Amino acid sequence: MHRKVRHHGPLVRNGARALALLAVLAATPAVAAAPASAAGVGCGHAWSNKSAHRAGVHGSNVNYRSGPHTTCASYGQWTNVSVYYHCWTYGDSVGGNTGWWHVRREGSQQQGWVNETYLGITGRDPAERC
């Protein structure tokens, strides 16, 4: 006597594979994706005082930040102040400019990163890259 063998179609086979995959995923510890935070884009960027040249911060309420990215924490804001610029690096584009300068406000210890859009600096010289 012959027995009829039932073959399961691709839908059943793929469904079983999907269930097996879900079981594996459910048993795997979840790892939360890190947010696109300041730490993830280099807000702790190294800098050194490679120059003591001066420039002006042009504009109102210009943020000086913990790193060369718009997502980095703002230490505060300056309006039309003089700064000493130390060195530069590349970061987020602001007004089409990706150059960021580490600067210190003249007559104070306030310092941070400012995009070159707001500085009266042309070119990279005489300061060096950080």
Side-chain angles (χ1 to χ4, degrees):
M1 181 184 248
H2 290 316
R3 250 178 110 187
K4 283 191 171 183
V5 178
R6 280 186 108 165
H7 293 282
H8 298 289
L11 183 60
V12 172
R13 283 193 306 270
N14 289 338
R17 287 183 190 142
L19 285 175
L21 178 61
L22 285 174
V24 169
L25 291 175
T28 304
V31 177
S37 67
V41 294
C43 291
H45 196 285
W47 64 274
S48 63
N49 191 355
K50 296 181 179 184
S51 165
H53 295 279
R54 290 178 25 184
V57 173
H58 304 287
S60 298
N61 303 316
V62 175
N63 288 303
Y64 61 102
R65 298 183 177 278
S66 63
H69 303 282
T70 56
T71 55
C72 294
S74 173
Y75 292 142
Q77 297 177 331
W78 293 327
T79 299
N80 298 323
V81 299
S82 292
V83 295
Y84 294 102
Y85 56 96
H86 302 139
C87 59
W88 64 272
T89 192
Y90 293 110
D92 291 347
S93 177
V94 175
N97 293 312
T98 58
W100 285 73
W101 293 80
H102 190 273
V103 298
R104 180 180 59 83
R105 184 175 179 174
E106 186 176 9
S108 80
Q109 294 304 311
Q110 295 176 340
Q111 59 186 355
W113 293 90
V114 175
N115 184 275
E116 68 186 9
T117 297
Y118 304 106
L119 298 172
I121 300 172
T122 56
R124 300 287 181 242
D125 290 324
E128 296 178 33
R129 188 167 181 183
C130 297

